[in-house]
Every structure is written in structure tokens, then in C-alpha cells.
Amino acid sequence: MTIEPPRPAFLTALDTAQSSYATRNPSSAKAYERATDHLPGGGTRSSIFIHPFPLFIEKGEGCELTDLDGHVYKDFVSDFTSGIYGKSNPLIREAIVTALDNGLQLGAHSTSEAHLASLLCARFPSLDLVRFANSGTEANILAITTSLRYTKRKNVVVFEDGYHGSVLSHFELGGANDGGEHDMKVPFDYLVCPYNNILETERLIKQHAAEIGAILVEPMLGAGGCIPGDVDFLRYLRRIATEIDAVLIFDEVQTARLSTGGRQKLLDIIPDMTTLGKFFGGGFAFGAFGGKGDIMQMFDARSPHAVSHGGTFNNSPLTMAAGAVAAEKILTEEALAELNALGDWLRDSVNEAFNSKSLPFKMTGLGSLNQIHCTLPSKLASAGLTLLFYKLLEKGYWIAQRGLISLSFAISREDVEGFVEAVIASAQEVAKL
Ligand SMILES: Cc1ncc(COP(=O)(O)O)c(C=O)c1O
């Protein structure tokens, strides 16, 4: 297919969509104005900002969100994958209420902490032992520092367009598309390699082999565009990590939902360490890092040489209770298989329409984690995607402005069918310009 050169109508349509959005959302505009008094840019999460101002959501129910001006949207973002349970789940609610009745904060060991740990170790083949933290970012920082201490080395291999947290991102190729620079990084000694490129990665790793303590990789690039890691590439990383005595860390903060044991279990590629986050806190702030017993033993407080790892909220009772009920009763094999099959159907359906109708879009991803990309030349691609985002909003569908689409258990097959129709219709409207 040959792609048409830029047409002014295309960019004019974006201006029109943005001003119509502004007109439809006066309450969000006002709330945003007030928010900028005390929050730089009016918020605290770059990824949820929208030009010219973000929508303010008043409440959520099932798979729906209602904004301050009363518009209702079907939520296909699911809080950037962490909102897998929908807006309210009766089992989580019950677990939280019981935990609250037993004390909001205990500041002590509890059996619920050990219970959640046992559930996670049973799910993930790489987890002999695990420790908790408060975010995926923190889990990754801890996994890196653990690996570097264990290997007594200083280099960390990461990958272009990899995202491991706010201060651990490597968007060399444009990635997250949230309009911000991603150059504020925790100052580790990074060796940035190209994702899914075995030859070049091998060349770089071989040059620095003696210094590399950790190889940190997402089994599928998440914020980098839902680009699955090739099985051969991930197998190669397993092999080379063993060869050079480095710790292979799989960041499964997003991909953990692809099966009961994440993508590692699906592919039978077992890393030395794994990081988790998002939904395993049952809707609360959460992170976890763990792995082989001989690595994680360093935190054993019974040893005279134990390494200290603190964190006031690491074992917060509400998080432990919500996470445990979710791992035990909600994120079951059947439920995850069904959700991921629905996501596969969504992706296949829209891609088939994009191809058969020669529309300048494609969807990548795995299971319930997907991303729409605009295939127009680079300058127009971002405008094309933004335009699609506004067109979907007008039809009552909420996706991330960067194109992420993540399913939750609250989304039905009918919701997805409606969404597929809306995506195709919106893509056709964009293509006509
Ligand atoms: C793969 C991956 N790792 C780590 C993180 C960071 O998690 P958090 O936002 O909880 O710090 C994210 C967040 O989106 C992620 O997608």
C-alpha cells in the first residue's frame, strides 16, 4: 500500500477535534485550571495528560467512567493495565473491609504477607523467594541493585523503548508518546541494546561481558508499544546471561496477566529474577521483586550479613489482603485465558479490517494488552493516532492517548464488539481526511 503524503485537512481536523473536545468539557477545563495552581502541569502522572487539558473523571462503575461534565465512556485503558478488576470487585471489597476491621496499619509481620508471597511463588516459576515494595519502579530498582550486589558488577543491560518505571525508561525510538522527555533516569551504568535484535545485542554484550551484572527486559515492550519479545530473542538472553554469569530479570509488571505465571510460564523461559506490580496489589500501590533462593537469601534478617530492605508500606494490610484474594480467586487460569482470548480476538478483528480496508493503522500486542499504531509517515503518525483517540472519545470509548488498550474483567464480549466497530469507523474517518 502506498501512503498518501501529508494533507493539510488532516492537521486541521486535529485542531477541530481538540476545540470540540474543549467545548464539550468545560468542567474538566475549569478543574484543570485550578489544579495547575499547585501541581506542575495540573497533575502527577505524565502518561494521563491530554492536550489541551486532561479529562477529569468523577466516578467509575463496571467498565464505565463518568467525567465531570457527565459524559460516560467505556474504559479500554483499565488504568494502564493495573485496573484489571474493573471499578469495584465484591471479593476485593470484602477482603479490604475485613483487613480494615483488623487494623489499617499494624507495623508488624502478618500472616497475610506470607500468604500473598506463597501465592506469587506458586504462580511464577522463577520465584523461590519474593519481597514486596510499593510500585513497579521500586521493584525494578531493587531487582537491579540486588543483582549488582549479588554479582559484584556495575553494568545493567536494558533495551531501547523499554519501560521499567518513571526513572527507568529508555525511549530511544520515541516510545511512550506522552509528549515528555524521558531522560531523568536512576544513574545506573546502562548498556542500552536494541530489542529483538540478537546480533547487535550480542555484539554489545560481548564487549562488556565482565562488567554486566544484570540484564533487565520486558517479555513484551509495554509502554514502548506492546511489541512482543521474539521467543528466540528471550531464549538468547537466557543463554547469554548464564554464559556471562549475569542475573536475568524479567519485568513482568504488565505481562504477568498473560497467564497465571506471566509470559515466562507461557514460553518456559525462566529468568533468575522477576519483578511484578500493578494488579497484584489488588488495586493498591504495589511492587514485588524475587527470584532464586541464593540471590534473595541476602535479605534474610537471621543472617549476620543480611542486607537491609525497608519500606513503610511494603506489607500494608489492605494491599496484602486485596492482592491475596485477587491472586487466589480472581486471576485464575480460566479467567485469564478468557480475558486474553478476548484481547486476541479484538486485535485480530481490527487488524483484519485495517488490512482489508487499507487503513493506516495496525494493532500490536498479546492477549489483553494491545496498542494501536498509526502507520502514516512519522510526522503524521502521532497526529493520526491523536485524531483516532478523539474520534473514539466522541463515540464514548476511552483509550490511552498513546494508543494503549488494556482489557479488564468488567468488559464484556459485547463491549469489545462495540469497540471494534468504533475503532474501524474512527480509523475510516481518519483515513478519509
Ligand atoms: C513493564 C513495566 N515495568 C514497570 C512499570 C512501573 O510500574 P509503576 O508505575 O507501578 O512504578 C510499568 C508501569 O507502567 C511497566 O509497564
Side-chain angles (χ1 to χ4, degrees):
M1 175 184 117
T2 44
I3 290 164
E4 292 294 317
R7 284 152 293 180
F10 191 77
L11 297 175
T12 315
L14 186 53
D15 291 344
T16 311
Q18 281 183 336
S19 50
S20 133
Y21 166 86
T23 312
R24 280 197 323 274
N25 294 292
S27 306
S28 284
K30 243 186 247 151
Y32 181 66
E33 192 56 39
R34 276 194 296 272
T36 56
D37 287 346
H38 302 290
L39 296 161
T44 52
R45 279 174 89 179
S46 300
S47 47
I48 57 174
F49 181 74
I50 295 171
H51 281 288
F53 56 83
L55 268 190
F56 277 58
I57 301 297
E58 188 158 44
K59 65 172 180 154
E61 211 177 332
C63 76
E64 292 186 338
L65 297 168
T66 306
D67 71 20
L68 286 188
D69 287 290
H71 309 116
V72 178
Y73 306 94
K74 300 253 184 218
D75 179 8
F76 278 76
V77 183
S78 307
D79 203 358
F80 292 77
T81 81
S82 68
I84 193 170
Y85 311 109
K87 307 296 169 258
S88 175
N89 178 292
L91 291 171
I92 291 179
R93 187 190 169 90
E94 192 189 330
I96 296 170
V97 171
T98 307
L100 191 57
D101 286 346
N102 288 331
L104 180 57
Q105 283 168 267
L106 305 174
H109 284 259
S110 72
T111 52
S112 64
E113 179 182 4
H115 184 46
L116 178 56
S118 74
L119 293 168
L120 295 182
C121 290
R123 292 173 83 100
F124 290 88
S126 61
L127 294 186
D128 295 337
L129 295 168
V130 67
R131 284 182 79 93
F132 300 139
N134 300 282
S135 68
T137 306
E138 199 189 334
N140 281 311
I141 292 171
L142 284 158
I144 293 173
T145 42
T146 301
S147 305
L148 297 185
R149 185 179 176 107
Y150 178 75
T151 56
K152 301 188 177 56
R153 295 179 181 174
K154 64 182 182 57
N155 281 7
V156 185
V157 172
V158 290
F159 294 90
E160 288 169 2
D161 274 1
Y163 184 82
H164 305 286
S166 163
V167 284
L168 277 177
S169 60
H170 301 276
F171 292 121
E172 316 293 319
L173 310 175
N177 190 24
D178 60 11
E181 296 289 329
H182 284 267
D183 56 3
M184 204 167 76
K185 297 189 205 333
V186 179
F188 291 117
D189 286 324
Y190 300 106
L191 177 64
V192 184
C193 295
Y195 196 70
N196 277 342
N197 182 334
I198 297 179
L199 275 184
E200 185 58 11
T201 297
E202 168 137 297
R203 191 184 68 76
L204 290 166
I205 287 184
K206 288 268 157 88
Q207 276 176 8
H208 302 271
E211 293 301 319
I212 296 171
I215 300 177
L216 173 61
V217 67
E218 292 162 272
M220 171 172 77
L221 292 179
C226 288
I227 309 294
D230 294 340
V231 183
D232 286 349
F233 175 67
L234 297 172
R235 285 219 174 93
Y236 163 74
L237 295 181
R238 176 58 286 177
R239 204 169 58 242
I240 192 73
T242 306
E243 203 177 300
I244 66 170
D245 289 323
V247 175
L248 178 64
I249 310 165
F250 272 11
D251 175 346
E252 296 241 39
V253 166
Q254 286 203 17
T255 52
R257 53 148 70 190
L258 294 176
S259 83
T260 49
R263 197 153 188 235
Q264 60 189 260
K265 186 174 173 189
L266 284 178
L267 301 181
D268 193 24
I269 302 174
I270 314 304
D272 304 303
M273 293 191 75
T274 296
T275 55
L276 302 168
K278 299 214 185 258
F279 35 88
F280 275 116
F284 290 96
F286 182 71
F289 67 105
K292 286 185 172 161
D294 61 341
I295 300 176
M296 293 302 291
Q297 280 311 345
M298 72 169 78
F299 297 103
D300 189 333
R302 294 167 297 186
S303 155
H305 309 294
V307 172
S308 171
H309 158 233
T312 305
F313 288 100
N314 286 355
N315 65 347
S316 166
L318 268 60
T319 313
M320 298 298 107
V325 78
E328 204 164 21
K329 300 200 173 134
I330 307 173
L331 299 169
T332 61
E333 191 168 350
E334 302 70 39
L336 286 173
E338 201 178 312
L339 189 72
N340 287 312
L342 193 55
D344 288 336
W345 181 83
L346 188 168
R347 186 174 58 260
D348 291 346
S349 305
V350 295
N351 278 335
E352 200 182 296
F354 290 160
N355 286 334
S356 66
K357 297 176 196 304
S358 299
L359 300 173
F361 291 95
K362 72 172 180 195
M363 191 179 281
T364 61
L366 289 171
S368 57
L369 303 170
N370 291 296
Q371 168 105 14
I372 299 193
H373 305 260
C374 180
T375 54
L376 289 170
S378 62
K379 268 197 185 151
L380 281 184
S382 140
L385 190 59
T386 310
L387 206 41
L388 186 83
F389 163 80
Y390 284 115
K391 300 234 169 250
L392 282 168
L393 262 193
E394 280 169 24
K395 294 180 181 63
Y397 291 97
W398 177 245
I399 66 165
Q401 197 171 28
R402 71 169 193 240
L404 172 78
I405 288 150
S406 157
L407 299 186
S408 74
F409 292 125
I411 294 176
S412 68
R413 170 86 185 197
E414 291 70 41
D415 293 325
V416 175
E417 284 168 2
F419 178 68
V420 166
E421 273 179 33
V423 169
I424 297 167
S426 303
Q428 283 177 308
E429 287 160 27
V430 174
K432 264 195 216 127
L433 292 165

